[in-house]
Amino acid sequence: MVKMSGSQALIQGLWSEGVRAIFGIPGGQIMPVYDALYDSEIRHILARHEQCAAHMADGYARASGHPGVCMATSGPGATNLVTGIATAYADSSPIVAITGQVAKPFIGKDAFQECDTIGIVTPITKYTLQPMEANEIPEAIKKAFLIASTGRPGPVLVDIPRDVQTGVSDISIPDKVEVRGYKPHVKPHPLQIERAADLLLNADKPMIWSGGGVIIANAAPQLRAIAELLLAPVVTSLIGKGSFPENHPLSLGPIGMHGRPEANKMVCETDCLLAVGVRFSDRSTGRFEEFCQDASIIHIDIDPAELGKNKKPNLPIVADVGIALNELLAAIKRKLAKREETAWSKRVEEIKEQFQNSSFGESKGYQPQIVEKIREILPSNGILTTEVGKNQMWGELYYKVIEPRTWITSTGLGTMGFGFPAAVGAKVAKPDVPVVDLAGDGSFRMTENSLAVCVDEHIPVTVVILNNSSLGMVEQWQRLFHDRRYSAVKLSGSPDFVKLAEAYGAQGFRAQSIEEFEKVFKEAIKSDVATVIDCPVAPEEDVFPFVPPGRGLKDILYGAESA
Amino acid sequence: MKLNEKLYTLATIVENKPGVLFRTANMFRRRGFNIESISVGTIEQDGLSRMTITVYADEDTAEQIIKQLSKLIDVIKVNVLDEAEIVKRELALIKIQIQDSRALTELTNYCNIFRNRIIDVSPDSMIIEVTGTPDKVDAFVQLVQGYGIREMARTGITALQRGSKK
Ligand SMILES: Cc1ncc(C[n+]2csc(CCOP(=O)(O)OP(=O)(O)O)c2C)c(N)n1
């Protein structure tokens, strides 16, 4: 026990959880914590908007696998975090948000900058805590990290009244905490693993659908070993890209609304689907009723509530994905020495051949070319984040992710403005690796103020803007489904992005052709200042193929004609 | 109630601390499940409360409700009570108008038959305490409706499993 303030206890607690960077903005009700931070070795990165602070923490978490921390003052500081917290919640990303609250005597009195932060974030957090005495802080922090990072990860918010931050007391940092109602079920049932192995081995056309849960569990190697033993092709969800190397002969890429056509076609043919760490999102499956109608489905997930939520599996397995895949691999190995090429694995080669280099609709335009060029130049451990819109879908279709945690995108919430601050967070986590944000002009404008953070804090990330002067994705839908009635999608009035970058003290380039792009991109990722590459592109270039909303995965559109 | 729906009684043990009821109720709201009745009170173990929640649901929905409830970190345990082996009680306080002495006699008789208690009487009204199964409360309410119910408070169902099963 040592005499210290709540704020000092908080900083010590964070340090002992391994926190070395915090993203945030100070304010009246969190100032005691910032004062304690002054004496600490934890790096503070001053975001220019709390939404960005939360996205940075999220990007940090997804790139590193360790919880990211963001911090804000009460009231508007806390409410600005909301989009970032909801984004992390939708994608099961472990962030810990720390917010200041007015002093206890003012709570409930509508004091200046008081708001019911816990009430607001309850539906978008895994848990919330509000320590009411300084000596409760260390335990609260330990609980927050435990809950955020284990089981199905997610955001946890700790709201601390100002007088609790300043309160001095005898405090010790506990080594362990116990949360009574929280016991994630991690061990799979052995008989179920045996059954899963048998189902897969007896199937003629086994397939694996791998999701974000595989990345969270660091289980990509086991997944790969299983796929190779079974000669089972692998499709992923959008967030699952990177859970299986997309340059592998068995990779078919992502399924879903803007998935690869080979993946969408083949998932309609399988007779046994091993779904791992996926949540059967409607964006992935298309119409639930039609999805894998004739296949038996094995579903492994740490969250029991995901099993049967949208689609009833034949074999539900609640377990940590890593442990389950380890045991499944062992079971398969016991039963199968080596599998010779099958009709099914030949079909995989055939379908890949058919679609690999095909362009959908028109010739492969500038935007897919840019995306492929980024892949060509970025090393396999380089990180690509995306914004939301056509840019994200070009990335989904044309960017082959090779290693886990190198593809960071907002899938569950689909948050525009996520990619750039997430890239900043990822770069803080992985300073030695090039980090690139693939952006649309609309999305970039939502969080472009992170350029100040990049310059100020020497965080050299590269932003590639596919600049179509429009809210491209919405425009595409209006073109296809609303009879070209373009409502509120023209983005005129954007600044010159090259000059904007320069105004911040960053670097700006414009690339009019793929050759120009190649040259400046190579320069950008080696540069020690943040770089914006503005690529003027045609608004009419639409993303295809496309499974229209509410349809089954087999109803793929290859171009506007078929819409 | 739809055709394939039935009543589920969920005995839910939760942490007794601020925000837990909110988080629980909010889970139902957010996912579009309807709570039929809910009653909350402390139990024999320190720091814990029991929420008795009843819902009408089909089997899949019920399964999802139970999983989502169990997932809440402040929820320690969810038990689905077996409807055949359940003791269910509800308490209602009913303030009824007394028109004349005949009404008073009749109501007093009904209270005897139903084994209710009259807990307050004033010149023109009385308060009756009804405890029993929700059906019994319903039946009594129906019976006395004609006299003019001024106010009524029902607690919602609370329930326990019979016997040694916990
Ligand atoms: C914060 C937020 N607001 C609105 C939307 C709806 N939305 C989805 S895509 C899109 C357009 C994206 O435009 P842009 O960033 O320029 O990318 P593009 O589609 O042109 O590549 C919009 C408005 C969203 N996903 N997120």
Side-chain angles (χ1 to χ4, degrees), chain A residues 51 55 83 283 367 387-394 410 413-418 438-446 465-477 488-489 491 537 539 543:
Chain A
Q51 179 186 346
H55 291 327
T83 302
R283 272 293 200 271
Q367 300 176 73
E387 300 296 345
V388 168
K390 290 202 279 191
N391 57 85
Q392 183 184 33
M393 304 296 107
W394 296 121
S410 164
L413 209 64
T415 308
M416 290 170 71
F418 166 80
L438 179 63
D441 46 330
S443 298
F444 179 64
R445 295 237 52 204
M446 289 190 178
I465 306 175
L466 303 179
N467 183 357
N468 51 19
S469 308
S470 70
L471 297 169
M473 194 55 158
V474 181
E475 188 186 278
Q476 171 168 342
W477 282 49
V489 290
L491 276 180
V537 296
V543 189

Side-chain angles (χ1 to χ4, degrees), chain A residues 298-505:
Chain A
I298 306 160
H299 187 186
I300 308 178
D301 205 287
I302 183 95
D303 180 357
E306 285 306 335
L307 304 175
K309 185 179 75 183
N310 295 335
K311 178 102 187 167
K312 248 194 149 69
N314 303 67
L315 180 55
I317 302 178
V318 181
D320 173 86
V321 163
I323 299 177
L325 288 183
N326 257 337
E327 297 189 1
L328 183 60
L329 175 61
I332 293 172
K333 271 187 180 159
R334 248 184 287 120
K335 295 167 195 255
L336 175 79
K338 187 173 157 41
R339 181 168 273 193
E340 299 302 328
E341 205 180 12
T342 61
W344 178 236
S345 57
K346 283 216 195 71
R347 172 101 180 97
V348 172
E349 277 171 39
E350 205 180 275
I351 197 137
K352 288 188 72 160
E353 190 76 23
Q354 184 187 342
F355 285 105
Q356 201 79 134
N357 293 308
S358 65
S359 40
F360 310 110
E362 311 114 64
S363 67
K364 203 176 275 177
Y366 184 33
Q367 300 176 73
Q369 281 176 23
I370 291 174
V371 172
E372 288 180 337
K373 191 55 84 182
I374 294 174
R375 173 71 294 170
E376 206 181 295
I377 295 168
L378 263 197
S380 64
N381 65 350
I383 293 172
L384 187 75
T385 68
T386 82
E387 300 296 345
V388 168
K390 290 202 279 191
N391 57 85
Q392 183 184 33
M393 304 296 107
W394 296 121
E396 173 169 25
L397 280 158
Y398 292 100
Y399 188 81
K400 288 193 156 88
V401 184
I402 296 157
E403 294 180 20
R405 302 193 185 281
T406 62
W407 162 259
I408 295 175
T409 187
S410 164
T411 65
L413 209 64
T415 308
M416 290 170 71
F418 166 80
F420 183 23
V424 171
K427 184 77 182 170
V428 170
K430 301 271 173 194
D432 301 330
V433 152
V435 179
V436 179
D437 173 38
L438 179 63
D441 46 330
S443 298
F444 179 64
R445 295 237 52 204
M446 289 190 178
T447 52
E448 68 187 26
N449 57 21
S450 291
L451 273 171
V453 182
C454 292
V455 171
D456 203 15
E457 287 280 333
H458 308 288
I459 301 169
V461 302
T462 301
V463 182
V464 176
I465 306 175
L466 303 179
N467 183 357
N468 51 19
S469 308
S470 70
L471 297 169
M473 194 55 158
V474 181
E475 188 186 278
Q476 171 168 342
W477 282 49
Q478 289 177 352
R479 186 159 29 249
L480 294 179
F481 304 120
H482 293 269
D483 210 14
R484 295 175 183 267
R485 287 154 54 87
Y486 298 121
S487 180
V489 290
K490 272 282 146 259
L491 276 180
S492 38
S494 279
D496 176 331
F497 289 122
V498 175
K499 286 192 183 146
L500 179 82
E502 288 167 358
Y504 273 109

Side-chain angles (χ1 to χ4, degrees), chain A residues 23-300:
Chain A
F23 306 91
I25 298 185
Q29 308 306 328
I30 191 82
M31 268 167 60
V33 175
Y34 273 86
D35 189 62
L37 194 57
Y38 190 80
D39 298 321
S40 144
E41 282 171 55
I42 297 178
R43 176 181 183 190
H44 182 269
I45 290 149
L46 178 61
R48 272 25 175 207
H49 189 297
E50 288 86 354
Q51 179 186 346
C52 296
H55 291 327
M56 287 172 190
D58 190 345
Y60 179 97
R62 295 194 208 198
S64 67
H66 302 293
V69 180
C70 55
M71 198 149 80
T73 190
S74 63
T79 54
N80 268 354
L81 290 175
V82 166
T83 302
I85 294 173
T87 304
Y89 186 63
D91 285 343
S92 308
S93 181
I95 67 172
V96 174
I98 292 161
T99 49
Q101 183 55 274
V102 299
K104 282 188 286 182
F106 290 101
I107 290 182
K109 308 285 167 26
D110 301 321
F112 177 63
Q113 294 193 333
E114 182 200 357
C115 84
D116 178 12
T117 305
I118 297 223
I120 291 170
V121 303
T122 288
I124 51 164
T125 45
K126 188 170 171 190
Y127 200 54
T128 55
L129 294 126
Q130 193 175 45
M132 282 300 187
E133 299 298 335
N135 61 13
E136 292 172 12
I137 288 180
E139 190 176 307
I141 289 299
K142 267 226 124 48
K143 280 187 180 168
F145 276 79
L146 174 75
I147 293 170
S149 62
T150 57
R152 178 180 186 166
V156 175
L157 182 134
V158 188
D159 192 47
I160 314 177
R162 194 179 195 281
D163 52 343
V164 179
Q165 299 166 34
T166 50
V168 175
S169 165
D170 284 327
I171 298 178
S172 62
I173 312 284
D175 293 334
K176 266 185 89 146
V177 280
E178 177 81 29
V179 184
R180 189 150 49 165
Y182 181 66
K183 305 251 168 348
H185 184 97
V186 295
K187 291 278 292 169
H189 195 288
L191 285 179
Q192 286 186 321
I193 293 291
E194 289 299 309
R195 256 198 78 203
D198 290 337
L199 275 174
L200 286 162
L201 285 165
N202 294 329
D204 291 326
K205 306 171 192 173
M207 177 180 264
I208 298 172
W209 177 23
S210 160
V214 174
I215 295 170
I216 290 167
N218 298 317
Q222 296 93 310
L223 184 95
R224 177 172 175 167
I226 291 174
E228 286 174 349
L229 259 178
L230 293 171
L231 293 181
V234 179
V235 297
T236 68
S237 61
L238 177 54
I239 200 172
K241 268 171 85 80
S243 60
F244 187 74
E246 293 194 285
N247 57 356
H248 191 286
L250 286 169
S251 167
L252 291 171
I255 54 168
M257 183 174 274
H258 283 291
R260 293 289 308 182
E262 50 271 54
N264 282 339
K265 275 187 170 305
M266 292 290 272
V267 88
C268 299
E269 293 180 23
T270 175
D271 61 353
C272 181
L273 183 74
L274 171 64
V276 209
V278 290
R279 60 183 178 89
F280 286 72
S281 139
D282 53 297
R283 272 293 200 271
S284 284
T285 62
R287 273 173 62 87
F288 293 129
E289 299 79 22
E290 283 176 40
F291 182 72
C292 280
Q293 249 168 340
D294 305 316
S296 44
I297 298 176
I298 306 160
H299 187 186
I300 308 178

